[in-house]
Amino acid sequence: MKKLFIAALMVFGTSAAFAGDSEALKAIMKAKTYAEASALVKQTVDQLVSPAEKAKAYNHLVKLSQETIDAQNAIIQANVLAVAEKRDPTPYDTLAMYEASYQLVNDAIECEKYDQMPDAKGKVKPRYGETNRNLALQARVNLVGAGNAAAGKGDQAGVLKYWGAFLDTDDNAFLNVDKASEASYIGQVAYFTALYANQAKQLDKALKYCDIAAQDPNQAKDAINLKFTIGQSNLKSKEDTLRYINELKDFYVKNPDSEAAFGTLCNLYSGINQKEEVDKLVADKIAKDPNNYTAWALKGQNEMNQASTAEKPDWDAPINSFKKCIEIDGTNAVVLTYLGFCINSKAATIEGNRNLQKEMYRESLGYLERAKEIDPNREKANWAYPLYQCYYLVYSADDPRTKEMEEILKVK
């Protein structure tokens, strides 16, 4: 009896050790198209009896996607020969190759997840990793072209799908991407994907892609500016603002040369009426960098705002700050317009000295005409009304230049 019991155990053990694929896996492996196989995996993945079966199922999906990619690449290569031999090329399905590349990358990563799980004996015996990694890295490069094609069509969802997948897998441990090979373009891809993600209100994704873009020296400034813009747009309360200010202050301490951080901090403090903090930031920046354009521009803007509401306005303060700005860089139409506005405002306070008043309007006119030349369509700076004032008071109401401004402003 004892021998029979042992024999029975041996038979049981043998049947278990050499058990074949489950019925669910057999059905998946018989599928000849990706659509059919993928649908079966989604429907029956919980019926697959082990991590090894799940890995095998996803590996089958990888193979089917690679077959599509290989078929399209074969047509492309044949077309090169056809062109050389002056034969008509064969149409190929770029979209199919892009979609197959997207599927392959995702399925290879999923396959690796199960392939690295221990078996019933607690042992890890990966079977597909190296092959699938190489295929996925090749397919991942196709996602750049796929996202570019989507962007050319204005397809927001397509951009976020393909470029998003490319960026989301950049730090995937399984793929172990060679960063040097993509250094020339990943920053630009990340920045534009961040723009699309921001438009789609996918703020977490947008911030993530900004961080990737910021690692590229050529995209860092724009990426950081965009990140701060996104951060500000998502503030719903004063508590949100204060929390974001603290995060930004930490960044600014580590990056004291960041103009974007400096300007954003000033704007945030201004928004919650913490004038003293703004003044301190600006004063510290000018003390460290006397020719800092942003600091002088913010200083002038704050002084202009204060003068606009003061009972006895000090227009000389913003005038001097804005003049310092244009000494550093005279190409900003907004600053030129603000300077003209401040000079006009000071001139308007002069009583009993028409010549001095006219002289000031003439000075203002020069700055405002420069603003008009730089920004003729008033896309950034509304120079038209202060320039109208100058023409009216320096020349006359009937002067052609005054009439031109009247037409722009529709002044009656």
Side-chain angles (χ1 to χ4, degrees), residues 35-50:
E36 180 187 359
S38 179
L40 286 170
V41 170
K42 291 175 183 176
Q43 293 167 11
T44 64
V45 66
D46 292 336
Q47 299 173 31
L48 301 177
V49 298
S50 66

Side-chain angles (χ1 to χ4, degrees), residues 115-129:
D115 204 24
Q116 289 295 329
M117 290 182 180
D119 60 19
K121 296 181 180 180
K123 295 183 179 180
V124 176
K125 297 178 181 179
R127 298 178 59 189
Y128 312 108

Side-chain angles (χ1 to χ4, degrees), residues 90-301:
T90 302
Y92 60 93
D93 194 341
T94 308
L95 295 180
M97 184 166 69
Y98 289 156
E99 186 62 20
S101 298
Y102 173 81
Q103 295 162 350
L104 192 152
V105 171
N106 290 325
D107 291 332
I109 292 172
E110 195 70 7
C111 177
E112 178 68 4
K113 179 179 77 175
Y114 293 114
D115 204 24
Q116 289 295 329
M117 290 182 180
D119 60 19
K121 296 181 180 180
K123 295 183 179 180
V124 176
K125 297 178 181 179
R127 298 178 59 189
Y128 312 108
E130 191 60 27
T131 298
N132 282 354
R133 175 180 179 271
N134 291 331
L135 293 177
L137 286 173
Q138 294 171 23
R140 182 173 172 273
V141 175
N142 292 338
L143 299 180
V144 178
N148 193 54
K153 298 176 182 177
D155 178 6
Q156 183 186 79
V159 169
L160 294 175
K161 176 179 179 177
Y162 294 121
W163 276 351
F166 174 77
L167 296 167
D168 290 341
T169 56
D170 188 57
D171 286 324
N172 184 272
F174 166 55
L175 296 181
N176 190 22
V177 174
D178 176 14
K179 301 299 181 66
S181 66
E182 59 185 25
S184 63
Y185 58 85
I186 189 170
Q188 189 173 27
V189 169
Y191 175 66
F192 283 108
T193 310
L195 289 173
Y196 277 95
N198 184 42
Q199 292 170 5
K201 305 301 181 184
Q202 297 180 15
L203 301 184
D204 289 343
K205 288 281 190 182
L207 293 172
K208 175 183 177 180
Y209 301 148
C210 283
D211 286 339
I212 295 174
Q215 297 173 35
D216 180 350
N218 295 321
Q219 298 295 329
K221 182 178 179 180
D222 288 339
I224 292 172
N225 284 341
L226 177 59
K227 183 175 181 178
F228 292 155
T229 299
I230 293 170
Q232 290 180 83
S233 68
N234 201 34
L235 302 177
K236 302 292 191 297
S237 65
K238 185 174 181 179
E239 289 72 23
D240 288 342
T241 301
L242 291 172
R243 184 174 60 253
Y244 187 58
I245 283 174
N246 287 330
E247 292 176 9
L248 201 52
K249 282 168 67 177
D250 290 340
F251 177 89
Y252 188 48
V253 168
K254 297 172 185 176
N255 301 272
D257 294 329
S258 173
E259 296 296 299
F262 168 69
T264 304
L265 272 174
C266 289
N267 288 335
L268 289 172
Y269 277 129
S270 295
I272 56 175
N273 296 316
Q274 292 194 9
K275 175 183 176 297
E276 296 79 8
E277 294 291 345
V278 178
D279 291 343
K280 184 178 183 303
L281 276 169
V282 170
D284 288 347
K285 175 66 80 172
I286 291 174
K288 294 174 183 176
D289 182 4
N291 289 317
N292 186 279
Y293 183 89
T294 305
W296 282 108
L298 286 169
K299 186 174 186 293
Q301 185 173 341

Side-chain angles (χ1 to χ4, degrees), residues 25-42:
L25 181 58
K26 286 178 182 178
I28 292 169
M29 298 303 291
K30 288 178 182 178
K32 302 299 182 184
T33 67
Y34 182 88
E36 180 187 359
S38 179
L40 286 170
V41 170
K42 291 175 183 176

